[in-house]
Amino acid sequence: MQASAARSSSMLVTKRRCSSARRNPQQVRPRCVAEVTVRSEVKSKSKPSFDFNQYMKERATLIDAALDKSVPLQYPEVINESMRYSLLAGGKRVRPALCLAACELVGGTIEQAMPTACSLEMIHTMSLIHDDLPSMDNDDFRRGKPTNHKVYGEEIAILAGDALLSLSFEYIARETRDVAPERVLQVIVEVGKAVGSEGLVGGQVVDIKSEGAGVTVGLDTLQYIHEHKTAALLEAAVVSGALLGGAGEVDVDRLRKYSRSIGLAFQVVDDILDITATTEELGKTAGKDLAVAKTTYPSLVGLERSREIADELIEGAKSMLTTYDPAKAAPLYALAEYIRARKN
Ligand code: GRG
């Protein structure tokens, strides 16, 4: 197993089993960004205040409108309906929001980054559709609604995922405006890498192969899974946004480090929420990791240490932003804080 450990915080392994989760699969509701209190530096007296909840509400409205246009309801309707069902089901829109924020931080515009922001949400959504299939995680609820295959059947759900993946790359190439073609190509390479065997697919494969009786997963392998299944797409979101906005190498490098840290933190928090949040709060089945005895950060290092690791990663991410104007970097500071504090 080649497990990349280069991006880690310090990790102390103390085996501990976590308490059982509260679950009620019937009680699910559509999700949006929860109104979390963001403990961001940008709220302190010395720095301009930033209303993260309002910001995300506005961003989600813009992103949802763009996504709505991206998949027209045309013949053969069933596939487009199925794609739209999951794409417009009200996810938190973290990846597109990161893409837009990174673009603006380096001087770009929302318009330059929106096609890529939509593409990232299409890829994320297709990965959720496929992840929920009976041959993968076999889940009944996602984003507070029955999973795609529960509504449209397995064949259509697989094809909806495939069509979203194909459209995602077409969409960047076809819809991006006012960005140099070589930058658009760089973005396509960045996103492609995050999806394939060096990204989501690679992480999912190691995850699947790490499940089942008699398989012991160590922290290095778990970190590999998290960095590829989850962090890779968040990294592509931030780096693509920066590239579209005209960032030079130094900025791309800094923002890549920021995104790797928030990306791993995102999944560590996901592991924590699986055992601390309800199905209603999550919009998907809570306690799933525990039910199938899956290795997670809490199962390997305990809840408390998992929270510390998430904190360390978020602090590391924020330290990459200190060279920027605090007002301009406020969204990325706040998104990092949100990832630590989120409730779903
Ligand atoms: C990408 C070709 C291709 C295939 C998919 C199934 C698979 C391969 C990968 C699984 C990837 C996966 C489901 C990772 C989990 C990522 C994660 C933490 C999802 C939850 O993200 P949120 O909380 O969800 O942002 P919302 O619903 O808010 O968007």
Side-chain angles (χ1 to χ4, degrees):
M1 169 65 51
Q2 272 204 331
S4 130
R7 307 158 183 165
S8 70
S9 64
S10 60
M11 288 170 192
L12 239 177
V13 182
T14 51
K15 282 204 189 271
R16 189 162 112 187
R17 206 31 90 191
C18 304
S19 64
S20 67
R22 291 162 289 153
R23 277 196 285 163
N24 181 356
Q26 303 312 317
Q27 282 185 343
V28 287
R29 61 174 164 75
R31 289 184 311 148
C32 56
V33 170
E35 300 239 329
V36 294
T37 306
V38 172
R39 280 183 295 143
S40 175
E41 287 159 53
V42 292
K43 278 200 159 180
S44 74
K45 277 184 193 149
S46 57
K47 297 197 175 139
S49 70
F50 178 71
D51 186 341
F52 177 69
N53 291 323
Q54 185 57 27
Y55 172 83
M56 281 305 277
K57 218 166 135 189
E58 285 167 15
R59 285 293 144 111
T61 304
L62 283 178
I63 293 159
D64 285 350
L67 286 172
D68 189 23
K69 278 200 222 149
S70 70
V71 183
L73 199 50
Q74 62 197 12
Y75 182 82
E77 281 82 2
V78 66
I79 190 68
N80 294 297
E81 266 176 34
S82 165
M83 290 157 77
R84 289 174 61 85
Y85 174 79
S86 294
L87 191 62
L88 305 176
K92 297 185 291 295
R93 311 309 192 202
V94 169
R95 293 150 193 83
L98 281 167
C99 180
L100 300 180
C103 181
E104 286 182 293
L105 173 66
V106 298
T109 64
I110 291 180
E111 291 73 25
Q112 286 173 307
M114 189 57 95
T116 300
C118 289
S119 161
L120 292 158
E121 192 62 27
M122 289 174 198
I123 292 166
H124 171 54
T125 300
M126 76 71 56
S127 80
L128 301 179
I129 296 173
H130 282 195
D131 193 51
D132 291 334
L133 288 168
S135 58
M136 299 252 184
D137 252 15
N138 191 20
D139 225 318
D140 294 348
F141 289 97
R142 177 67 74 172
R143 292 177 163 171
K145 295 166 76 172
T147 42
N148 198 294
H149 65 272
K150 284 276 161 193
V151 178
Y152 294 95
E154 268 185 72
E155 306 95 319
I156 295 296
I158 291 168
L159 291 168
D162 294 345
L164 280 169
L165 184 58
S166 167
L167 178 62
S168 69
F169 289 98
E170 176 194 336
Y171 210 69
I172 299 175
R174 173 162 55 87
E175 295 296 326
T176 305
R177 304 274 184 275
D178 299 324
V179 179
E182 55 273 25
R183 283 200 175 253
V184 179
L185 270 182
Q186 275 181 288
V187 167
I188 291 172
V189 170
E190 190 72 31
V191 175
K193 210 168 167 185
V195 173
S197 59
E198 291 179 52
L200 267 81
V201 170
Q204 181 77 346
V205 168
V206 177
D207 194 10
I208 290 168
K209 296 292 177 200
S210 303
E211 280 173 6
V215 183
T216 314
V217 173
L219 206 50
D220 270 7
T221 303
L222 183 63
Q223 193 174 329
Y224 178 95
I225 294 168
H226 285 5
E227 281 174 352
H228 291 77
K229 252 185 91 165
T230 302
L233 199 58
L234 291 152
E235 180 178 333
V238 173
V239 171
S240 298
L243 288 168
L244 291 160
E249 263 178 47
V250 173
D251 282 326
V252 168
D253 185 49
R254 237 183 242 136
L255 292 171
R256 192 181 290 286
K257 287 181 181 140
Y258 162 89
S259 62
R260 284 182 176 170
S261 293
I262 58 160
L264 183 54
F266 193 97
Q267 186 58 55
V268 174
V269 170
D270 223 62
D271 286 0
I272 294 170
L273 290 174
D274 183 75
I275 52 175
T276 59
T278 61
T279 293
E280 199 227 357
E281 283 164 336
L282 292 181
K284 63 179 181 182
T285 314
K288 194 94 196 288
D289 297 342
L290 206 62
V292 298
K294 191 168 180 159
T295 307
T296 61
Y297 267 78
S299 78
L300 275 184
V301 304
L303 253 184
E304 204 178 313
R305 180 70 193 124
S306 300
R307 288 193 175 111
E308 282 169 13
I309 289 170
D311 285 348
E312 287 162 13
L313 287 164
I314 295 301
E315 290 311 314
K318 289 193 321 191
S319 74
M320 291 297 131
L321 302 176
T322 50
T323 51
Y324 299 103
D325 172 355
K328 284 196 181 150
L332 288 184
Y333 273 112
L335 275 154
E337 282 296 351
Y338 167 70
I339 284 167
R340 165 171 34 205
R342 71 199 177 94
K343 301 285 180 245
N344 68 25

